Amino acid sequence: MTLKYLITGATGGLGGLVLEYFIANVPLGDFAVSSSRIENRSLFERRGVQFRHLDYEDSATLEVGLRHVQNLLFVSTNTNVIHIDRILRHHGNMVSAAAKAHVGHVWYTSLPFGGFGDDSEVAVQQQHLATEKMLQESGLTYTCIREGIYTEAFPLFLNWYADTTHIMLPCDGEIAFTSREDLAEGTARLMLSGGYANQTVLFTAGKTISAREMVDIIHQSTGQKLQIRGKPAELFKTVSSWWMAAARGELKTMDGLLGEILGREPLAPQDAVRQLLQKEGDHVWHQNYA
């Protein structure tokens, strides 16, 4: 039986929100979700959602789970960004299995460093560029969705905690931070509307924000000041590379496609940061504690 849509990463942030959009707007018989953990089956089936077991480490599960799929939302593997070899192995397994299963259209969630360009020096973006290249060379029909940097992740970029008093950054730059809810809805709508075959698209908010602006909003919203916290050298190097890329303008590129797909202007990062802090004054991002 042909399955119109298969959503990977449904236990994660972006994939989970995509799933919620599908549940609210698409007949349950038209889509399924997957997880590498077979014990997650009950989480979805008790809501009436079909389940398939896909383990990026296990090609056998991929080849079976991807059979008769028309549209695959390929959310990048949930692996620490410093484990490059593992990420590329997982993604290579997924692309190969999708090709063998003759998946109709792969919708891949990439990152936006460098905008529409392919020359970013940021390591995490290079992993995505390598995956994009895999898709381009696979013979599959694909769309690479370069999802804007989650606004919800701003504490990671600032190395900010709710009880700190100052921060230290290598430089400042403008970033088109984008609400994860907007990105998920836009991704779902894009898949459902179709098109953009063998293209790379960019989903971003319509404004950028700098570190200085974020600090000002934190002060205005919470009255708190900021300070640095010790972290492994690898994380400092990673975050530093993100800000260096921002200073070069790699995260400044914006595109109106997300707004067109949503039928409204995406939430501006200034407003999104303010809303996050008004809702939860001690907002944190899980990777701050990694």
Side-chain angles (χ1 to χ4, degrees):
M1 178 180 176
T2 299
L3 181 68
K4 289 185 178 180
Y5 304 97
L6 178 61
I7 301 166
T8 69
T11 57
L14 181 70
L17 290 169
V18 171
L19 171 61
E20 294 305 318
Y21 186 88
F22 268 73
I23 290 174
N25 296 279
V26 180
L28 290 174
D30 286 355
F31 66 93
V33 300
S34 73
S35 172
S36 62
R37 300 177 62 187
I38 199 165
E39 58 267 30
N40 285 334
R41 177 188 297 274
S42 62
L43 296 176
F44 304 109
E45 290 188 343
R46 69 190 181 198
R47 301 182 69 186
V49 178
Q50 302 175 70
F51 177 84
R52 294 193 178 189
H53 181 214
L54 296 182
D55 185 342
Y56 289 3
E57 284 278 11
D58 186 347
S59 295
T61 69
L62 299 178
E63 291 176 14
V64 172
L66 295 177
R67 289 176 183 168
H68 311 300
V69 173
Q70 290 183 347
N71 291 275
L72 170 67
L73 177 62
F74 175 15
V75 177
S76 54
T77 182
N78 183 25
T79 297
N80 192 302
V81 295
I82 66 173
H83 298 148
I84 298 174
D85 291 343
R86 184 185 303 170
I87 291 170
L88 295 181
R89 182 175 69 253
H90 285 185
H91 289 187
N93 289 344
M94 188 66 157
V95 173
S96 295
K100 288 180 181 178
H102 304 290
V103 170
H105 193 141
V106 178
W107 306 83
Y108 174 64
T109 60
S110 186
L111 281 178
F113 288 93
F116 285 105
D118 295 332
D119 56 355
S120 174
E121 297 178 2
V122 176
V124 68
Q125 186 66 32
Q126 291 176 0
Q127 298 163 16
H128 285 284
L129 292 174
T131 305
E132 291 182 11
K133 186 177 180 181
M134 292 178 197
L135 287 166
Q136 292 161 7
E137 296 175 349
S138 68
L140 288 160
T141 298
Y142 67 89
T143 302
C144 295
I145 309 170
R146 294 188 179 176
E147 310 268 2
I149 300 297
Y150 300 160
T151 308
E152 293 82 356
F154 82 86
L156 179 63
F157 275 71
L158 291 180
N159 192 36
W160 175 69
Y161 297 78
D163 59 351
T164 54
T165 58
H166 68 275
I167 61 170
M168 294 176 62
L169 293 173
C171 52
D172 200 355
E174 297 180 25
I175 299 176
F177 276 116
T178 309
S179 161
R180 187 163 56 182
E181 291 189 1
D182 282 346
L183 291 170
E185 182 180 341
T187 297
R189 285 176 176 267
L190 185 67
M191 291 178 64
L192 292 169
S193 62
Y196 300 92
N198 302 326
Q199 295 184 40
T200 296
V201 301
L202 180 65
F203 273 2
T204 69
K207 287 186 177 182
T208 61
I209 191 171
S210 66
R212 185 176 298 277
E213 285 183 275
M214 287 188 281
V215 168
D216 289 342
I217 291 172
I218 290 169
H219 286 319
Q220 294 163 11
S221 301
T222 70
Q224 294 171 336
K225 297 182 180 180
L226 312 175
Q227 74 177 10
I228 192 68
R229 286 209 175 188
K231 284 288 181 182
E234 290 80 3
L235 183 58
F236 277 114
K237 290 177 182 177
T238 299
V239 175
S240 175
S241 73
W242 296 345
W243 280 109
M244 292 296 185
R248 292 193 297 268
E250 289 191 23
L251 291 172
K252 187 177 180 180
T253 308
M254 292 170 285
D255 189 71
L257 178 60
L258 177 57
E260 293 177 21
I261 297 294
L262 292 173
R264 56 179 165 76
E265 192 66 24
L267 192 62
Q270 289 83 352
D271 295 330
V273 170
R274 191 172 288 110
Q275 286 184 20
L276 284 168
L277 291 170
Q278 289 172 348
K279 181 179 179 181
E280 188 179 20
D282 60 350
H283 174 75
V284 296
W285 182 249
H286 63 93
Q287 286 172 311
N288 271 31
Y289 298 94

